[in-house]
Amino acid sequence: MNIRTYREMYDHIEASGEQKKKIFNEILDADESKMWENKNLHILMAAIVVIALVVILPVGGYAAQKLNTHFTYSVQKPGKDHKAVLHIKKKYGEILGYEYTMEKTNKKTLAKYIRNAHPNYFVKLSVDKKVVGDDYILYKHPDPNSCEVYAMNIFQYKGNKRWRLLEKAEDDPKKGEKIRKKYYDRDFCISVYYVNRSKDIEMTETENVKKMTIGGNEAYYFKGIGAKKGQTKKQKRRAKEKQVNTIWIFDKKYGYCIEITGEGLLPEKKLMKIAQTVRLEKTTRKNSMEFSVISAHY
């Protein structure tokens, strides 16, 4: 990267003075053993950021990695059409500068790209099993070429029991539908996206949006349309079954977004408790979790 690119990347970060100072200090501490000896080096860096990044090559490489994790986001609240829009903005794409037209790529090629994407940091996902509870099992989708469910961790409510019941009800469609409503509508899933470019994500059937903090990261809670006053018990039940609540958590430290989606019969308090336990930790590529890229989100 040239001197202008470093300058623009640093200037583009939307953060407080203290946050920017912290980022800069992390860059300075990246590999001091490889720095040129200079008594006034730290003073020089503090005064002339760009020169420091370019003159000291090992630190410059780290700077590109660190600055490229940053992205900004905002939300357009739902109107009468009950559609909210999550705006994710990133001035720079991947460090290598490749341009991908993800939406025009077939599923097999897209899934291959996702598996071979090169984020700035590889991460692993952790969730508190005690909070999730013994009623849930983690289900991995068997089709590795399906980009729509790639990196989606689906937590099924009483999954083993439901499959046994559905197998027995194979010849009884009505009974099978009742089983699906009873179990499927309590599922939740967690997806992790690496922010590789700007993207507008439409959140449909949204009643309200609330900004919050989860695990030290900023987040948005998209509340789905639920039951209304004046509806019958049957109508309220159907509305609840169709309701989908979603939480987006923005981890700017590593450059990822976490999406947690809960079906209608999963209590809102339960979804919030689960979200509070979700964490991303830096790891190696070998030990990293499956992830998707933000431009592949439909």
Side-chain angles (χ1 to χ4, degrees):
M1 287 188 181
N2 59 36
I3 188 170
R4 183 175 295 174
T5 303
Y6 280 120
R7 186 200 301 274
E8 288 179 350
M9 288 179 76
Y10 189 79
D11 290 342
H12 179 66
I13 296 175
E14 294 184 11
S16 66
E18 285 298 317
Q19 287 175 315
K20 271 200 171 186
K21 185 178 179 181
K22 184 179 179 182
I23 294 166
F24 185 59
N25 287 337
E26 287 180 8
I27 293 170
L28 296 187
D29 294 336
D31 198 345
E32 291 192 356
S33 63
K34 295 180 182 179
M35 290 184 179
W36 290 2
E37 291 184 7
N38 189 325
K39 292 180 181 179
N40 298 318
L41 189 58
H42 284 243
I43 297 174
L44 177 63
M45 287 182 176
I48 312 173
V49 175
V50 177
I51 293 176
L53 296 178
V54 176
V55 171
I56 304 170
L57 296 179
V59 179
Y62 178 82
Q65 184 183 57
K66 184 68 183 176
L67 296 178
N68 198 44
T69 63
H70 285 266
F71 58 93
T72 59
Y73 48 87
S74 61
V75 166
Q76 180 183 324
K77 292 190 175 181
K80 292 182 180 180
D81 59 357
H82 298 292
K83 291 180 181 178
V85 181
L86 172 59
H87 302 286
I88 295 178
K89 297 179 181 178
K90 186 170 185 180
K91 189 170 183 179
Y92 295 92
E94 294 186 318
I95 294 174
L96 296 178
Y98 296 139
E99 286 295 329
Y100 296 97
T101 309
M102 309 300 293
E103 292 78 4
K104 296 180 181 179
T105 307
N106 64 58
K107 287 185 177 183
K108 190 172 183 178
T109 304
L110 180 54
K112 183 179 179 181
Y113 165 74
I114 291 169
R115 288 196 297 274
N116 292 292
H118 298 284
N120 292 294
Y121 298 103
F122 287 101
V123 294
K124 60 182 179 180
L125 178 72
S126 65
V127 185
D128 192 329
K129 294 180 180 179
K130 291 181 181 178
V131 175
V132 173
D134 295 332
D135 286 335
Y136 286 87
I137 64 167
L138 178 59
Y139 173 76
K140 290 286 187 180
H141 199 280
D143 182 7
N145 291 323
S146 176
C147 60
E148 293 183 24
V149 296
Y150 198 81
M152 182 184 288
N153 299 277
I154 305 171
F155 291 82
Q156 294 185 337
Y157 178 70
K158 296 188 177 179
N160 294 326
K161 182 178 180 180
R162 96 163 56 154
W163 291 116
R164 289 196 298 269
L165 291 172
L166 285 171
E167 192 175 350
K168 290 179 180 179
E170 191 174 357
D171 299 324
D172 190 340
K174 288 186 177 180
K175 189 175 181 180
E177 185 62 24
K178 286 182 179 179
I179 293 167
R180 289 186 181 89
K181 285 182 178 179
K182 183 177 179 180
Y183 295 98
Y184 277 73
D185 292 333
R186 286 179 172 81
D187 289 352
F188 71 92
C189 63
I190 302 174
S191 300
V192 177
Y193 300 96
Y194 173 63
V195 183
N196 67 326
R197 64 167 56 189
S198 298
K199 180 78 173 179
D200 286 345
I201 298 170
E202 190 176 86
M203 310 296 289
T204 59
E205 300 299 316
T206 302
E207 186 174 87
N208 192 22
V209 181
K210 182 180 178 182
K211 194 172 184 177
M212 57 185 61
T213 301
I214 295 177
N217 295 311
E218 291 187 354
Y220 280 105
Y221 174 57
F222 296 85
K223 184 179 177 65
I225 299 174
K228 302 291 183 183
K229 290 182 179 180
Q231 290 182 323
T232 64
K233 286 185 177 180
K234 190 174 183 180
Q235 288 173 329
K236 287 181 179 180
R237 171 77 182 189
R238 285 179 178 174
K240 192 69 176 174
E241 288 170 354
K242 293 180 180 179
Q243 184 179 355
V244 176
N245 298 317
T246 305
I247 298 172
W248 279 82
I249 304 173
F250 309 99
D251 191 330
K252 295 175 74 172
K253 182 178 181 181
Y254 299 130
Y256 287 82
C257 290
I258 306 170
E259 180 190 32
I260 307 169
T261 303
E263 298 296 330
L265 296 186
L266 175 68
E268 188 175 305
K269 287 184 178 179
K270 175 83 171 179
L271 181 65
M272 290 291 185
K273 283 183 178 180
I274 292 167
Q276 291 290 346
T277 75
V278 176
R279 295 286 185 276
L280 290 181
E281 299 173 11
K282 186 179 175 182
T283 187
T284 62
R285 177 173 185 141
K286 184 179 180 181
N287 297 322
S288 65
M289 59 163 293
E290 292 178 344
F291 65 93
S292 188
V293 287
I294 203 67
S295 53
H297 188 281
Y298 290 93

